Amino acid sequence: MDSLDPSSDSAPAEGTRPTLKTIAFMTGLGVTTVSRALKDAPEIGEETKRRVRLVAKQIGYRPNRAGVRLRTGKTNVISLVLDTEEDLTGFVSDMIYGISETIAETPYHLIVTPYSRRNDPMDPVRYVVETGSADGIILSRTEPNDPRVAYLLEHHFPFATHGRTAIGEDHPFHDFDNRAFSAAAVRKLVELGRRRLALLPPPPDLTYHQHMRDGFSDAVQELGATEVAWSGISIDDPIDVIRAKTARLMRRADRPDGLVAASGGATFALVAGIEEAGLTLGSDVDVVSKQSSKLLRWYRPELWISQEDFRLAGREVARAVLGRIEGRPVAALQSLAAPGEVVSCRMPSTT
Amino acid sequence: MDSLDPSSDSAPAEGTRPTLKTIAFMTGLGVTTVSRALKDAPEIGEETKRRVRLVAKQIGYRPNRAGVRLRTGKTNVISLVLDTEEDLTGFVSDMIYGISETIAETPYHLIVTPYSRRNDPMDPVRYVVETGSADGIILSRTEPNDPRVAYLLEHHFPFATHGRTAIGEDHPFHDFDNRAFSAAAVRKLVELGRRRLALLPPPPDLTYHQHMRDGFSDAVQELGATEVAWSGISIDDPIDVIRAKTARLMRRADRPDGLVAASGGATFALVAGIEEAGLTLGSDVDVVSKQSSKLLRWYRPELWISQEDFRLAGREVARAVLGRIEGRPVAALQSLAAPGEVVSCRMPSTT
DNA sequence: CGCGACAGCTGAAACGTTACAGAAAAGACG
DNA sequence: CGTCTTTTCTGTAACGTTTCAGCTGTCGCG
């Protein structure tokens, strides 16, 4: 009964990776049947499916990604578009860990597509879309009218952003509630008796700059405090610049007695600047900072911090792209993370 | 003269990505010729090559990776195998940036293959080798007799390690000269008048634990200082544990007056522990620490630090895998980075 | 003039997968 | 008993690339 045609039914070579053909040969079925059995198609008999699955498991069959990709266009890849300038906060690694957690049980791989802030941020996005090198894209550092978002929407390419845009209803995102953070920070400072407050904000082009400003200004106004204008600075400035500008600010006659910092990394420079100006943290001035890594906690005991969880952000934003790829409605793929409570760094520990 | 056979010479559809067939159609050549022309094969005429290259550029041809991969088995992918436990030093992002720099001008993509320290570290490595999902692997956290290295050598799979093994001659690596670092650290402490020195080492299973110990012990002995034993601790311990253990150490009668710390993140906890024990940095005890991020610089002015450049490490280790993939001799793919000079954090700055 | 060498090109086949159209067997129904 | 339907399975083609073997025409050389 054996087929004598050597072209299609021959036994597969020994040392090579098993393919559908291997299973087909072992089960005596056709390649097509095996393919469908493995994806649990309704037109395959239960008994057959079990047999195929058993053999597949036994010989450790793993579908060849190149084959699938060539045939279907599906890459099973998520591209994380990353700005490769200094990352003082360590947010990138946490984000990657979070993304990894989400895609761990899926067939997706994570591929890092880097670009330099100094080049065109559109480059990596265009590259991925044009070459179809991923099924979905994760963006960070989003701007209110982000051209990358516009481009991706226009090309109907699945993506999710870390941070919102001005066209937020139309695409999946995950964001930290920076408005709530800065408002809570102001509240804490006022509670501490501070009245003249200033903000060390994110770079002005990013969306969350405005969120943080809004939360800050609204809370200041609502609580009857005063906002001390501090312009031409952001947490993305070089660390020495932040220190120098902070020192200059704190030497002004109208200096603030309360500061809110948008990132943990910048806070190191901020505090250094304060001390350089001869002022004492906790008595002359209080500082509330976001932190992502755990290190700020040990910097100065007088600091106040609120935690931002980038691992969570990674998990969420990955969930969002995957959802988008599967065609789920956008509304279900938007989430906001509440800031951690503003807590003191004064040793609350035992041991 | 037009071919009437519709099967192979038909015009390609309008909106789709250009393929070799597209170029073949436009130039009137065969697909094979186009393929060879683009890889500058000697059997294609110069004139033809120019023509093909021009058309390819004009229409923005980019080879389909899945096609290449399916046919040749070449993935053009480098896999970075990453432990997804906390990364306090931010070394992961810098490393990724460095790798990105090296592969930017190559066709390679970087894919992150995560695993948990709590699972089998062999899993990701086996996965990549078995599924052939990358052309090369980058490993970190290498151990003296690293089973992953043994496995990869055995399977003749290209890889490079960040950190050495006990079988270092046989594989490409890049490493930071931890021996030189700890020796320099000891030298600095002795120079500062310290005599009783202790080391906060890397985890004992990693290769560079021994390197750092060796440099430390040798220098201590050579300079006539005393080593204060401090066991059961490493920079990978939870930050609170490090603080608590440091406090305990510094309350001992035979406490050290000089400390060397193997990572910047751990130093935060180390210093916190010292201060918790009621001692003053710079007078009771001096600390020399490695740092990778720039933040430690601002932590305590009395600290001494030596820089480790993980971006450089990423560049080098990527160069090493690529070299291995191209079959270059191993000896040329091993490098050691000299530690940065041990410098004081006392503000040396102007402005 | 004949022959071989060579430059320059070509189509067919294959990599592993899935989509499509269809076939064989078995039961339902008149 | 014949026909129709359903279930279950099958072969072929195609995705885009490279490899293989081979073809054509030109030229050098005896």
Side-chain angles (χ1 to χ4, degrees):
Chain A
M1 288 309 185
D2 289 343
S3 167
L4 292 177
D5 177 2
S7 73
S8 66
D9 272 344
S10 57
E14 200 59 25
T16 79
R17 260 184 80 189
T19 71
L20 289 180
K21 203 146 108 190
T22 316
I23 303 179
F25 178 80
M26 293 177 73
T27 54
L29 296 163
V31 173
T32 304
T33 310
V34 174
S35 172
R36 310 188 86 136
L38 286 175
K39 34 181 57 66
D40 205 21
E43 61 267 40
I44 306 293
E46 274 311 318
E47 167 67 15
T48 307
K49 283 185 195 168
R50 267 194 298 276
R51 208 150 49 93
V52 168
R53 277 196 285 256
L54 178 67
V55 172
K57 186 160 212 173
Q58 285 291 332
I59 65 178
Y61 169 74
R62 293 255 190 52
N64 180 313
R65 309 189 122 232
V68 176
R69 181 165 168 179
L70 182 57
R71 181 64 239 249
T72 65
K74 180 120 210 279
T75 63
N76 285 308
V77 164
I78 298 294
S79 169
L80 173 63
V81 171
L82 267 195
D83 168 38
T84 57
E85 296 299 309
E86 202 97 29
D87 165 35
L88 282 178
T89 60
F91 103 93
V92 167
S93 43
D94 278 338
M95 188 108 166
I96 287 176
Y97 298 155
I99 297 171
S100 299
E101 283 178 33
T102 293
I103 68 178
E105 297 307 314
T106 75
Y108 285 90
H109 285 176
L110 173 64
I111 178 170
V112 173
T113 308
Y115 72 100
S116 167
R117 215 177 284 174
R118 286 175 298 239
N119 295 341
D120 188 351
M122 285 294 291
D123 285 347
V125 174
R126 260 197 296 258
Y127 174 82
V128 172
V129 173
E130 284 173 8
T131 65
S133 57
D135 295 335
I137 290 182
I138 295 175
L139 296 176
S140 59
R141 299 186 67 85
T142 43
E143 305 177 6
N145 288 297
D146 202 304
R148 301 170 302 172
V149 170
Y151 177 87
L152 289 170
L153 281 174
E154 193 179 327
H155 286 75
H156 302 291
F157 198 95
F159 70 101
T161 60
H162 179 229
R164 280 164 286 179
T165 62
I167 35 179
E169 307 77 42
D170 289 347
H171 63 85
F173 65 78
H174 172 80
D175 204 355
F176 178 80
D177 193 342
N178 287 287
R179 192 178 213 295
F181 159 73
S182 54
V186 166
R187 220 173 298 123
K188 173 58 72 180
L189 289 171
V190 169
E191 201 177 285
L192 290 168
R194 304 305 180 180
R195 287 292 173 273
R196 307 184 41 74
L197 311 183
L199 173 68
L200 172 53
D205 39 341
L206 304 189
T207 311
Y208 81 107
H209 174 94
Q210 201 54 47
H211 294 154
M212 201 170 276
R213 276 229 172 285
D214 289 349
F216 183 84
S217 299
D218 288 2
V220 161
Q221 200 148 21
E222 184 188 327
L223 299 172
T226 306
E227 176 167 354
V228 177
W230 192 17
S231 60
I233 191 168
S234 92
I235 56 171
D236 269 10
D237 288 328
I239 198 158
D240 274 305
V241 170
I242 296 178
R243 181 177 54 76
K245 287 194 175 168
T246 305
R248 208 176 314 144
L249 171 74
M250 298 310 287
R251 286 186 179 117
R252 272 161 48 177
D254 64 336
R255 65 178 164 80
D257 59 2
L259 285 161
V260 177
S263 95
T267 298
F268 281 84
L270 185 82
V271 170
I274 290 172
E275 295 174 346
E276 189 180 328
L279 300 177
T280 306
L281 200 63
S283 62
D284 298 315
V285 57
D286 272 306
V287 171
V288 179
S289 172
K290 270 216 283 201
Q291 84 159 351
S292 49
S293 86
K294 301 276 163 53
L295 298 182
L296 198 56
R297 163 92 179 70
W298 307 97
Y299 184 38
R300 294 286 185 275
E302 299 82 10
L303 275 174
W304 296 84
I305 54 183
S306 167
Q307 194 71 31
E308 173 167 16
D309 187 345
F310 279 105
R311 200 182 270 254
L312 168 74
R315 280 198 304 268
E316 286 298 307
V317 81
R319 268 169 26 85
V321 224
L322 293 186
R324 191 73 264 256
I325 291 173
E326 288 160 15
R328 285 215 288 279
V330 172
L333 305 172
Q334 304 179 327
S335 61
L336 212 54
E341 201 190 346
V342 177
V343 296
S344 167
C345 289
R346 264 176 230 284
M347 211 132 305
S349 63
T350 46
T351 303
Chain B
M1 289 309 182
D2 290 344
S3 167
L4 292 177
D5 175 2
S7 73
S8 67
D9 274 344
S10 57
E14 201 60 24
T16 78
R17 257 184 83 190
T19 71
L20 289 180
K21 203 146 109 188
T22 318
I23 303 180
F25 178 80
M26 292 177 74
T27 54
L29 296 163
V31 173
T32 304
T33 310
V34 174
S35 172
R36 310 186 88 139
L38 287 175
K39 35 180 57 64
D40 204 20
E43 60 265 43
I44 305 295
E46 273 313 318
E47 168 67 14
T48 308
K49 283 185 193 169
R50 267 195 298 275
R51 206 149 51 94
V52 168
R53 277 197 284 257
L54 178 67
V55 173
K57 185 159 212 172
Q58 285 290 333
I59 64 178
Y61 169 75
R62 295 252 190 55
N64 181 313
R65 309 190 122 233
V68 176
R69 182 165 167 178
L70 182 57
R71 180 65 238 246
T72 65
K74 181 122 210 279
T75 62
N76 286 308
V77 164
I78 298 295
S79 168
L80 173 64
V81 171
L82 266 194
D83 169 37
T84 57
E85 296 299 309
E86 202 97 29
D87 165 35
L88 282 177
T89 61
F91 103 93
V92 167
S93 44
D94 278 338
M95 187 108 166
I96 287 176
Y97 298 156
I99 297 171
S100 299
E101 283 179 33
T102 293
I103 67 178
E105 298 306 315
T106 75
Y108 286 90
H109 285 176
L110 174 63
I111 179 168
V112 173
T113 308
Y115 72 100
S116 167
R117 216 176 286 175
R118 287 175 298 238
N119 295 342
D120 188 351
M122 285 292 293
D123 285 348
V125 174
R126 262 197 295 258
Y127 173 83
V128 172
V129 172
E130 284 171 10
T131 65
S133 58
D135 295 335
I137 291 184
I138 295 175
L139 297 177
S140 59
R141 298 185 67 84
T142 44
E143 304 177 6
N145 288 296
D146 201 305
R148 303 170 301 173
V149 170
Y151 177 87
L152 289 169
L153 282 174
E154 193 179 327
H155 286 76
H156 303 289
F157 198 94
F159 71 100
T161 60
H162 179 228
R164 280 164 285 178
T165 62
I167 35 179
E169 307 76 43
D170 289 348
H171 64 85
F173 65 78
H174 172 81
D175 203 355
F176 178 78
D177 193 343
N178 287 285
R179 191 178 214 296
F181 159 74
S182 54
V186 167
R187 219 173 297 124
K188 172 58 72 181
L189 289 171
V190 170
E191 199 178 288
L192 291 167
R194 304 303 179 181
R195 288 293 173 273
R196 306 182 42 73
L197 312 183
L199 173 67
L200 172 52
D205 39 341
L206 304 190
T207 311
Y208 81 107
H209 174 93
Q210 200 54 48
H211 293 155
M212 201 171 276
R213 275 228 172 286
D214 289 349
F216 183 83
S217 299
D218 289 1
V220 162
Q221 200 148 21
E222 185 188 327
L223 300 173
T226 306
E227 176 167 353
V228 178
W230 192 18
S231 59
I233 191 168
S234 91
I235 55 173
D236 270 10
D237 288 327
I239 198 157
D240 274 304
V241 170
I242 297 178
R243 181 178 53 76
K245 288 194 174 170
T246 304
R248 209 175 314 144
L249 171 72
M250 299 309 287
R251 285 186 180 118
R252 275 161 47 177
D254 64 336
R255 65 177 165 79
D257 58 3
L259 285 162
V260 177
S263 95
T267 297
F268 281 85
L270 185 81
V271 170
I274 289 172
E275 294 174 347
E276 189 180 329
L279 300 177
T280 306
L281 200 64
S283 63
D284 297 315
V285 57
D286 272 306
V287 172
V288 180
S289 172
K290 268 214 285 201
Q291 85 159 351
S292 49
S293 86
K294 301 279 163 51
L295 298 181
L296 197 56
R297 164 90 180 71
W298 308 95
Y299 183 38
R300 292 288 185 274
E302 300 82 10
L303 275 174
W304 297 84
I305 54 182
S306 167
Q307 194 72 29
E308 172 166 16
D309 187 344
F310 279 104
R311 198 181 271 254
L312 167 74
R315 280 199 302 268
E316 286 298 308
V317 81
R319 268 172 21 87
V321 223
L322 293 186
R324 193 71 261 257
I325 292 173
E326 289 160 14
R328 285 213 288 279
V330 172
L333 305 172
Q334 304 179 326
S335 61
L336 211 53
E341 201 189 347
V342 177
V343 297
S344 167
C345 289
R346 265 175 228 285
M347 210 131 306
S349 62
T350 44
T351 306

